Amino acid sequence: MKDIQKIPVVSKQLLFPFIIITSLFALWGIANDLTNPMVSAFKKVMPELSNTQASLVQFAFYFGYFFMALPAALFIRKYSYKSGIIVGLTLYASGAFLFYPAAAYQEYNYFLISLWVITCGLAFLETTSNPLVLYLGDKETATQRLNLAQAFNPMGSLTGMIIAQVFVLNALKSDDYTSEAFKALSSNELAAIRENDLGVISVPYIALGVLVLAIMLIIIFTKIPKTAKEDKMGLSESFKKLFANRNYKQGVLSQAFYVGAQIMCWTFIFQYVDNLNATYGWDLTATYYNIAAMISFLTGRWIGTALMRRIDPSKILMFFGLGGVICSAGAIVLPGMAGLISLICISIFMSIMFPTIYGIALKDMGEEAKIGSAGLVMAIVGGALMPVLQGSILDWGGDGFSDIKILGYIPEVNFSFILPLICLAVVALYGYSTVKASK
């Protein structure tokens, strides 16, 4: 193997297009983490929703990846990466603007459709951008290059979190009342609060749609290099090679479990903090701890990317997976602030997982990587399915977060993090299996 330390991660000739493509990673980070707190927000604005129904926000959002990833790959295969990016940004903006009629009609299902359209656009962007970054340089530094590009995703995520807290959660009138006081309001008062709060939820998405259109105009007038091979492999041959690739199939499965763990940890930290406030009489703001988790995630991404200059990415994936399992266990069994800190620390170990799994799974692929990329983006459906399962655990004893105690002392919201623990164990196992295979 070449000495990775001597190979530039990005050559000077490809630096500008790399920067342009990397900006998209921040753009979908904004959407992801603007949406995570919406499970809690919709539950407050529409208290008639159960925890499971509120978690359908994440199902609608992440199901779009599963639905659109393969069509996006086929589109890109026929046309070009740049065309795929433009279509993705168009869908992204369209879904964001659909929040206006959703708020006007005050219909929860319309919001879910809007989120689904946004993610169909994100599926195009991720199916395009991830393999394009892998191609923009030497294949020996491909995984490191993708980690570098993905390091800008948490910056967008932090922006989304701050927008959610400042412009949505802080502005919700329904959050100013206790559940008893809220139920005691007249029907006219309730209708006025709901109209206000649904409008509050929609405004950041509409503004985001305007930003996306502006970025799309820049992309249209930017020259994106055609890095894919001109001779196209047959579609049936691509699928045949992928289905015969054990490393790839395990990578897709691991990616689904990883994304499920990430979305669960960043969604249900709000319920975790709410339960601590109720139990200990604290007044913690969940978003601040979610931001702490994202800063930890960003720090872990930079550290992990640096470590890959000297250490095999598969080994780093294995050890980070084990670290995530340990922190998940702490979030389950440790009481009070210790459990919350453990929950935050999971993000350090999740930080390198998506791009590392992606790079390992597509390693040494040729033209079939375009279809292979779609499979790894479709695996994001784990973020649609797992939160619904976790929400159902929270509903075991009722609408609260500590209606029953597992083993006599673990609140159901704490116990629900058994699901991220299992998911991260699968990722650690994938890292271990690829370390063995490389030997």
Side-chain angles (χ1 to χ4, degrees):
M1 182 182 287
K2 301 176 186 177
D3 186 349
I4 296 178
Q5 289 183 277
K6 295 180 181 179
I7 303 172
V9 178
V10 184
S11 66
K12 292 181 180 179
Q13 296 90 335
L14 296 173
L15 182 59
F16 184 72
F18 175 78
I19 292 172
I20 295 298
I21 299 304
T22 297
S23 69
L24 299 176
F25 287 72
L27 194 60
W28 69 66
I30 295 175
N32 289 341
D33 287 275
L34 175 59
T35 302
N36 286 340
M38 293 304 110
V39 174
S40 176
F42 276 112
K43 185 73 172 68
K44 291 173 181 176
V45 178
M46 300 177 168
E48 68 273 14
L49 300 175
S50 68
N51 290 307
T52 304
Q53 289 173 318
S55 68
L56 290 176
V57 164
Q58 296 294 41
F59 179 84
F61 190 83
Y62 288 96
F63 184 72
Y65 282 105
F66 180 81
F67 179 86
M68 191 57 72
L70 185 56
L74 295 174
F75 179 90
I76 295 161
R77 190 172 179 273
K78 183 175 181 180
Y79 296 102
S80 67
Y81 284 117
K82 184 173 180 177
S83 298
I85 291 171
I86 292 171
V87 171
L89 291 173
T90 301
L91 287 170
Y92 189 160
S94 300
F97 290 135
L98 284 174
F99 265 72
Y100 179 79
Y105 286 101
Q106 300 185 21
E107 176 57 53
Y108 182 58
N109 289 332
Y110 291 174
F111 285 104
L112 297 182
I113 293 171
S114 302
L115 290 168
W116 178 77
V117 173
I118 288 175
T119 338
C120 286
L122 297 186
F124 262 90
L125 294 181
E126 294 212 34
T127 304
T128 302
S129 302
N130 285 299
L132 184 54
V133 167
L134 290 176
Y135 286 134
L136 292 178
D138 194 285
K139 69 177 183 179
E140 294 294 341
T141 56
T143 299
Q144 187 183 357
R145 186 165 47 257
L146 186 55
N147 268 280
L148 177 60
Q150 286 273 0
F152 290 88
N153 175 262
M155 295 181 183
S157 296
L158 279 171
T159 303
M161 288 180 184
I162 293 170
I163 292 172
Q165 179 63 39
V166 174
F167 296 102
V168 179
L169 298 180
N170 283 351
L172 293 179
K173 290 184 178 180
S174 54
D175 199 29
D176 296 336
Y177 300 87
T178 64
S179 57
E180 293 77 14
F182 193 77
K183 292 176 183 177
L185 295 173
S186 67
S187 58
N188 289 336
E189 290 173 321
L190 289 172
I193 291 173
R194 178 173 294 214
E195 181 179 1
N196 173 82
D197 287 357
L198 291 178
V200 165
I201 289 173
S202 68
V203 167
Y205 285 94
I206 296 170
L208 186 56
V210 175
L211 174 63
V212 170
L213 287 181
I215 293 175
M216 185 173 70
L217 287 175
I218 297 172
I219 294 289
I220 288 173
F221 294 104
T222 300
K223 185 176 181 180
I224 304 296
K226 294 184 178 181
T227 56
K229 297 177 181 178
E230 293 299 324
D231 53 323
K232 295 183 178 180
M233 180 184 295
L235 186 60
S236 61
E237 186 180 355
S238 293
F239 280 113
K240 185 177 180 180
K241 291 190 72 172
L242 290 172
F243 283 119
N245 190 329
R246 182 181 178 187
N247 173 64
Y248 171 75
K249 290 185 291 186
Q250 291 177 342
V252 171
L253 182 64
S254 298
Q255 197 73 288
F257 278 99
Y258 157 66
V259 176
Q262 174 191 296
I263 303 309
M264 286 187 287
C265 289
W266 292 352
T267 298
F268 289 97
I269 190 173
F270 289 87
Q271 288 80 352
Y272 197 99
V273 170
D274 285 346
N275 184 59
L276 291 179
N277 288 337
T279 302
Y280 297 100
W282 296 344
D283 189 24
L284 306 177
T285 301
T287 297
Y288 298 151
Y289 292 93
N290 208 15
I291 290 174
M294 184 54 62
I295 293 172
S296 300
F297 185 87
L298 181 58
T299 302
R301 176 68 61 80
W302 287 111
I303 292 172
T305 301
L307 289 174
M308 287 179 192
R309 300 286 285 179
R310 298 181 178 274
I311 304 173
D312 180 17
S314 293
K315 285 186 179 179
I316 295 176
L317 183 64
M318 178 181 68
F319 288 122
F320 273 49
L322 291 173
V325 168
I326 293 169
C327 289
S328 298
I332 295 169
V333 301
L334 295 178
M337 188 58 67
L340 179 57
I341 292 172
S342 294
L343 177 53
I344 292 170
C345 288
I346 296 173
S347 293
I348 298 174
F349 298 104
M350 292 193 299
S351 61
I352 55 90
M353 289 182 179
F354 185 93
T356 304
I357 294 170
Y358 203 104
I360 294 171
L362 295 184
K363 188 175 181 180
D364 297 327
M365 283 193 188
E367 179 68 16
E368 76 271 20
K370 285 184 177 179
I371 302 298
S373 173
L376 288 160
V377 174
M378 290 173 71
I380 295 176
V381 75
L385 303 176
M386 294 297 182
V388 177
L389 290 177
Q390 191 168 10
S392 67
I393 293 177
L394 267 63
D395 282 332
W396 277 358
D399 287 339
F401 307 134
S402 186
D403 299 306
I404 59 175
K405 300 289 179 67
I406 312 301
L407 301 178
Y409 77 98
I410 301 175
E412 56 195 336
V413 66
N414 290 46
F415 182 76
S416 69
F417 284 89
I418 190 72
L419 295 178
L421 185 153
I422 294 170
C423 291
L424 296 174
V426 172
V427 174
L429 185 61
Y430 179 60
Y432 173 72
S433 67
T434 54
V435 168
K436 284 186 64 179
S438 67
K439 292 181 179 179

